[in-house]
Amino acid sequence: MGLFAALRVALDALLVNKGRSALTSLGIVIGISAVIAMVAAGAGARSKLDERLESVGKNLILIRPGGRTQSGVQADTAPLTSADAAAIRRQLGGTLLAAVAETQVIQRVAATPTHNWPTMIVGCTPDLQSARQWAVAQGRFLTEDDVKKVANVCLLGHSAKQRLFADRPNPLGQFVRIDNVQFRVVGVLAVKGRSPTGADQDDQLFVPLTTLQRKLAGNDRLTLVVASVRSENLIERAKEEITRILQEQHHLKPGAEDFDVNSVQEMAQLAVIMTSTLQVLIAVIASISLLVGGIGIMNIMLVSVTERTREIGIRLAVGASASDILVQFLLEALALAFVGGVLGILLGLLAAVAMAEIAGWPLVVSPFVVAVAFLVSAGVGVFFGYYPARKASRLDPIEALRYE
């Protein structure tokens, strides 16, 4: 019997019991669809995370006050100062770091004649623009002259601008009041989006650092120093050098830091670990589903061999070889796995599209994963269908003809 004839006979045999064949393939469908959908979900989530990291800055190092000793005990917190930022800038500015910007952040209510809005007030230096790669949509960024003159000027993040000047497309030259201090708007920043932690980076109002320290906060303690590294492969070296410089500035021994130095990439590692763990968990569940589906195929094929024993005996008696019987039943098992694999791929792609729409992340489906899923379904058919097919091919024709 030729291959195509054997395939036609196998498909005819499966179509005799459509419901049983469909239920047998269900385990394969669930397993394959789960693998494709969850791999696509993990890839989409990572793509979204990369997008948010790009908006923050992959090369950023964040330096905050506070730290721990080598024994894990919380160290005494000493403030970061502009002198610390200046030392880092002076020693590393021409080699490892592209920009160093000191910032001080407070929460205040910003008000206009028609609106008011609680937002983050960020006192900063002009270096923040290059460190964070802020683009200015309207007007200009803060200048060194603004910092030196303690100028009452400000820039608005996109969200803050929408809240405070919803009725004015161009707020340049208008005034915003913060703690009874009037600030003239000199610029509006372009949309930055949300950070990897979900915070709205556009809901901020920027003023010169000296202005915030002297007229709003009343102290010169820095909240954060942002350092932009020239290349991603220099991040670890830059962290070590920044730690050394601050230890010298604060007269500290190694391991007793009163500051914290982290990169943005480190902060995103937890999300990557969670995504990877979820993918592994789903892969395990899908593997169990595929195993159950394969056992189902083996079970149904054994039942089919028993039901068709007399048919097998007749075929052997009229000249069919044992290999013909083996191929026929193996093709039946492959057909069950093939149908389950195709339906599983289609269902997995639909689930991936649905999750991407709901979660708002890009749809990323790897052709390699789809191909592997298809090959796995075929492998399941061969592996679990071989024993029933072999059993059918080894039946004794005389005993098979006697079977009722």
Side-chain angles (χ1 to χ4, degrees):
M1 182 185 295
L3 181 61
F4 289 104
L7 180 60
R8 180 175 56 80
V9 172
L11 292 175
D12 289 341
L14 293 176
L15 290 174
V16 171
N17 297 290
K18 300 181 183 68
R20 187 172 72 180
S21 299
L23 291 174
T24 303
S25 299
L26 188 59
I28 305 295
V29 173
I30 295 173
I32 296 297
S33 61
V35 169
I36 292 176
M38 295 315 299
V39 170
R46 287 192 179 186
S47 178
K48 188 69 173 179
L49 180 61
D50 285 340
E51 179 184 320
R52 291 191 173 180
L53 280 176
E54 287 288 353
S55 72
V56 174
K58 284 187 175 182
N59 294 359
L60 287 188
I61 292 178
L62 308 179
I63 308 156
R64 297 183 177 89
R68 294 184 181 275
T69 63
Q70 287 182 333
S71 61
V73 178
Q74 183 70 40
D76 293 333
T77 299
L80 289 175
T81 65
S82 295
D84 296 328
I88 296 171
R89 187 182 295 110
R90 183 175 61 255
Q91 296 188 41
L92 305 180
T95 53
L96 298 177
L97 303 181
V100 179
E102 51 265 56
T103 65
Q104 186 172 352
V105 183
I106 58 175
Q107 180 83 31
R108 291 290 190 275
V109 175
T112 65
T114 56
H115 300 84
N116 59 74
W117 179 247
T119 188
M120 302 299 295
I121 312 299
V122 181
C124 64
T125 59
D127 288 332
L128 186 66
Q129 182 180 18
S130 57
R132 291 292 314 278
Q133 298 180 354
W134 282 105
V136 178
Q138 294 175 292
R140 63 172 178 83
F141 203 81
L142 301 176
T143 65
E144 289 289 351
D145 198 46
D146 294 328
V147 176
K148 291 177 181 178
K149 292 182 177 180
V150 195
N152 289 1
V153 295
C154 69
L155 285 96
L156 302 175
H158 180 75
S159 298
K161 181 256 182 185
Q162 291 295 102
R163 296 289 183 176
L164 295 171
F165 295 98
D167 53 345
R168 288 179 179 271
N170 185 1
L172 298 182
Q174 301 299 314
F175 288 89
V176 176
R177 181 171 51 82
I178 306 171
D179 287 358
N180 297 318
V181 180
Q182 294 282 356
F183 290 84
R184 181 170 55 87
V185 178
V186 295
V188 178
L189 294 172
V191 176
K192 196 73 168 175
R194 293 191 176 275
S195 69
T197 60
D200 186 0
Q201 299 181 85
D202 300 311
D203 190 9
Q204 301 182 84
L205 190 150
F206 298 82
V207 301
L209 177 62
T210 51
T211 306
L212 181 139
Q213 291 176 337
R214 300 180 191 180
K215 299 182 179 180
L216 297 178
N219 63 72
D220 60 356
R221 295 191 173 197
L222 299 181
T223 305
L224 178 70
V225 176
V226 180
S228 175
V229 185
R230 291 186 178 276
S231 173
E232 286 186 42
N233 58 6
L234 296 175
I235 289 178
E236 289 303 317
R237 182 183 166 196
K239 285 174 56 181
E240 293 174 0
E241 289 298 313
I242 290 170
T243 300
R244 177 187 61 78
I245 292 169
L246 291 179
Q247 285 172 344
E248 293 175 356
Q249 285 290 116
H250 295 190
H251 307 289
L252 298 172
K253 296 179 180 179
E257 291 84 8
D258 56 5
F259 53 86
D260 187 46
V261 181
N262 283 302
S263 68
V264 170
Q265 288 183 333
E266 287 177 306
M267 297 171 63
Q269 282 179 353
L270 178 60
V272 173
I273 291 172
M274 291 176 63
T275 302
S276 301
T277 302
L278 179 62
Q279 286 183 303
V280 170
L281 179 62
I282 294 298
V284 171
I285 296 173
S287 300
I288 294 173
S289 179
L290 287 173
L291 178 63
V292 172
I295 293 172
I297 289 176
M298 179 183 287
N299 180 54
I300 291 302
M301 293 307 300
L302 287 172
V303 171
S304 180
V305 170
T306 302
E307 290 178 345
R308 297 159 61 188
T309 299
R310 188 173 179 82
E311 174 194 330
I312 294 169
I314 294 173
R315 294 194 178 195
L316 290 170
V318 298
S321 65
S323 61
D324 290 334
I325 303 299
L326 175 68
V327 169
Q328 179 189 334
F329 279 88
L330 198 56
L331 284 174
E332 289 185 25
L334 273 170
L336 286 172
F338 175 81
V339 172
V342 170
L343 292 177
I345 290 170
L346 294 176
L347 184 61
L349 292 175
L350 289 175
V353 171
M355 286 190 292
E357 286 292 326
I358 293 172
W361 57 48
L363 175 63
V364 182
V365 178
S366 170
F368 175 76
V369 172
V370 174
V372 168
F374 184 79
L375 291 175
V376 167
S377 67
V380 167
V382 172
F383 183 80
F384 288 96
Y386 180 76
Y387 173 70
R390 184 171 180 273
K391 181 179 179 181
S393 68
R394 300 187 69 178
L395 287 176
D396 185 285
I398 298 176
E399 293 298 327
L401 287 169
R402 289 176 180 173
Y403 186 82
E404 294 294 337

